Amino acid sequence: MVFRLLVVIGLLFSLMSPSMAQSDPKALVDALGTADFKQAEVLIGQIAATGDPRVVPALEAFASGDLYVRKADNLVFMATPAGSSFALIDPLSGEAAGEVPRAAVTKIKVNNNLRRVIRSALGGLTLLSPEKSVRLSAADAVLKAPSAENLDLLDAALAKETDAEVRGRMEEARAVSLLSSDRSVDEKKAAIETISKIGGRDAISILMAASSSVDTSLKADIDSAISNIESSLAVWDSVQNVWYGLSLGSVLLLAAIGLAITFGVMGIINMAHGEMVMIGAYSTFMVQEVIRSNYPGLFDWSLAIALPVAFLVTGFVGLVMERGVIRFLYGRPLETLLATWGISLVLQQAVRTIFGPTNREVGNPSWMSGSFRVGYLNFTWNRVWIVAFSLSVFFALLLLLKRSSFGLQMRAVTQNRRMASSMGIRTPWVDAFTFALGSGVAGLAGVALSQIDNVSPNLGQSYIIDSFMVVVFGGVGNLWGTLVGALSLGVLNKFLEPTVGAVLGKILVLVLIILFIQKRPRGLFALKGRAIEA
């Protein structure tokens, strides 16, 4: 009885004595066995303040619920089940401490708030690590779980820190921890200013949480800091919307640029253009299936291999369509529209029969996976590469049309079919290869879209209407108009969606285009067109 009384007195003394907290981590860990949640928070801070790396396993075990107190002497151990008993492990040395029946120990309870405090303490314990990455991670941990108990450790770490990046992160962590401390008002004002410079929604959350507990004289400073951060975030949100709009616009550009060639040069309303996109996506799927089965080491090259395959496959399908059906319907737009719509249904059903109606998985190569941040902007690599690829296809087509013999013949047929024919240009084959080119470009779009959308028989239907809107808005047959139209509609969509919703946003865009073509029936950049004679 006397022994137990002495143990209790010792534990109470350890709770009240900071000097002991700094010199005897074992006593502090044992004190967790009889502490309530509030006392445990204080103890965790004192354990971390010892700076002793041996306490890390004990704190980790506490957070995971694997810390137990032995009833016989109130000593704390880590424990693992061993049949009907527990194998005890010393929390500091890691040495085995024997086995006891399950009834001989009691699990030390832990709640979410204690886990947060433990995460912060563990972060503080690694602030003095010789490794920069470890110190940076520790500062991040303290920043996300601020505690006044970390201030002494942060001050000690800042006094020794020489790396500018780590030092800046530690200063931010110190500022966040200061708001929950009993430091002076001037120090807290400086901390509020530092947090304001951090910016972001996390900083707003920190300041709002602190506003309920700080001195009333700091309320105005906190409100001003929150207002400044919100103004900054509004600007960043607008920039983010522009990026999302450009990303969507690049997708529309890929889907529409092939249509701009066939619709603009030939005057053909090709309702099967979306299925060319779909066939390009399935070509990518087939290439990846072959690579997965036979050459798994080449998977990162799968898209590079799929590009020419998709272009040739869809170009061939387009050539067969033009030679087999469309060339007999020139000058008859209604029949052409119905015929290509029927072909689109046939192609969709053929794909369902071969591949099934469900979505197919197309993987991302490693260089298209992940994301990165610039300021508060988040960029995913697949979108970045699609934007770059879209612009590359655009300028390649522009070069083809302006600098090649085929492009010269295509433009000649566009401007004056009879004159081009009288000059010896085989206009029927120009039409055929132009249609094949437009279909091949749609196949390239399918390769890109397979990285961000579901590959299914309905893939093309999602983009055919938007593609027609882009072509009509930009100016039929003008590639620059298609580029400007795609990017403009993409950005406009992304600014409308947050306020009116995605569906109503598309309706408003359609209404605006209808109103626009009432004033400019030939789009933003009109070419001198011609009608294709039978």
Side-chain angles (χ1 to χ4, degrees), residues 363-377:
N364 290 109
S366 60
W367 49 273
M368 287 190 73
S369 304
S371 62
F372 65 97
R373 294 187 67 85
V374 176
Y376 297 112
L377 300 181

Side-chain angles (χ1 to χ4, degrees), residues 446-469:
V447 177
L449 291 177
S450 69
Q451 300 299 295
I452 59 173
D453 208 340
N454 295 322
V455 177
S456 70
N458 299 319
L459 172 64
Q461 295 300 306
S462 305
Y463 296 96
I464 186 65
I465 302 300
D466 287 338
S467 298
F468 273 112
M469 285 199 298

Side-chain angles (χ1 to χ4, degrees), residues 131-333:
E131 296 291 333
K132 174 184 173 180
S133 60
V134 175
R135 298 198 307 276
L136 201 58
S137 298
D140 283 332
V142 176
L143 186 61
K144 293 175 183 177
S147 171
E149 301 292 339
N150 291 319
L151 283 173
D152 291 337
L153 274 172
L154 283 165
D155 288 336
L158 280 167
K160 297 181 179 180
E161 187 58 57
T162 56
D163 185 276
E165 182 184 6
V166 179
R167 186 176 183 82
R169 198 71 55 84
M170 285 182 178
E171 287 174 348
E172 292 173 355
R174 183 180 184 278
V176 172
S177 298
L178 260 173
L179 290 183
S180 58
S181 71
D182 56 359
R183 299 288 181 92
S184 67
V185 172
D186 290 337
E187 283 186 285
K188 289 186 177 181
K189 283 186 176 182
I192 292 170
E193 186 177 346
T194 301
I195 295 170
S196 177
K197 291 177 182 176
I198 298 172
R201 290 177 176 80
D202 289 341
I204 291 178
S205 300
I206 292 167
L207 291 171
M208 291 183 70
S211 65
S212 60
S213 58
V214 298
D215 190 274
T216 54
S217 62
L218 295 172
K219 298 282 188 183
D221 296 272
I222 290 177
D223 291 341
S224 176
I226 291 174
S227 177
N228 291 336
I229 295 171
E230 287 176 341
S231 299
S232 175
L233 284 177
V235 175
W236 281 103
D237 285 344
S238 297
V239 177
Q240 184 78 73
N241 279 336
V242 170
W243 163 246
Y244 287 152
L246 293 176
S247 176
L248 173 61
S250 68
V251 172
L252 294 179
L253 175 64
L254 276 177
I257 196 167
L259 189 64
I261 294 172
T262 55
F263 188 28
V265 175
M266 304 174 64
I268 298 297
I269 302 175
N270 181 18
M271 295 302 294
H273 183 78
E275 278 54 54
M276 300 297 107
V277 176
M278 177 261 293
I279 291 173
Y282 274 98
S283 298
T284 309
F285 166 72
M286 287 303 299
V287 167
Q288 288 196 349
E289 284 297 292
V290 172
I291 289 176
R292 283 192 181 103
S293 301
N294 302 289
Y295 312 100
L298 293 177
F299 187 80
D300 274 352
W301 293 90
S302 59
L303 292 190
I305 298 170
L307 286 173
V309 171
F311 181 82
L312 292 174
V313 169
T314 53
F316 177 75
V317 173
L319 183 64
V320 171
M321 280 177 56
E322 198 281 336
R323 289 287 86 189
V325 178
I326 293 172
R327 72 188 180 101
F328 300 109
L329 301 175
Y330 286 139
R332 296 154 65 185

Side-chain angles (χ1 to χ4, degrees), residues 350-464:
V351 168
R352 287 191 182 92
T353 302
I354 297 171
F355 297 100
T358 57
N359 296 342
R360 292 292 181 169
E361 179 186 358
V362 175
N364 290 109
S366 60
W367 49 273
M368 287 190 73
S369 304
S371 62
F372 65 97
R373 294 187 67 85
V374 176
Y376 297 112
L377 300 181
N378 187 53
F379 296 89
T380 55
W381 279 112
N382 58 355
R383 290 282 183 175
V384 171
W385 282 110
I386 287 174
V387 171
F389 177 67
S390 302
L391 295 177
S392 300
V393 171
F394 172 80
F395 285 110
L397 281 175
L398 202 62
L399 191 64
L400 175 69
L401 295 179
K402 297 294 184 182
R403 301 297 181 186
S404 70
S405 173
F406 175 69
L408 180 63
Q409 292 180 24
M410 189 190 304
R411 286 185 288 126
V413 173
T414 302
Q415 294 172 12
N416 193 318
R417 170 177 289 272
R418 289 182 179 178
M419 181 63 72
S421 179
S422 67
M423 295 295 291
I425 296 175
R426 301 176 66 184
T427 55
W429 283 105
V430 171
D431 289 335
F433 285 112
T434 299
F435 197 88
L437 176 64
S439 299
V441 172
L444 297 181
V447 177
L449 291 177
S450 69
Q451 300 299 295
I452 59 173
D453 208 340
N454 295 322
V455 177
S456 70
N458 299 319
L459 172 64
Q461 295 300 306
S462 305
Y463 296 96
I464 186 65

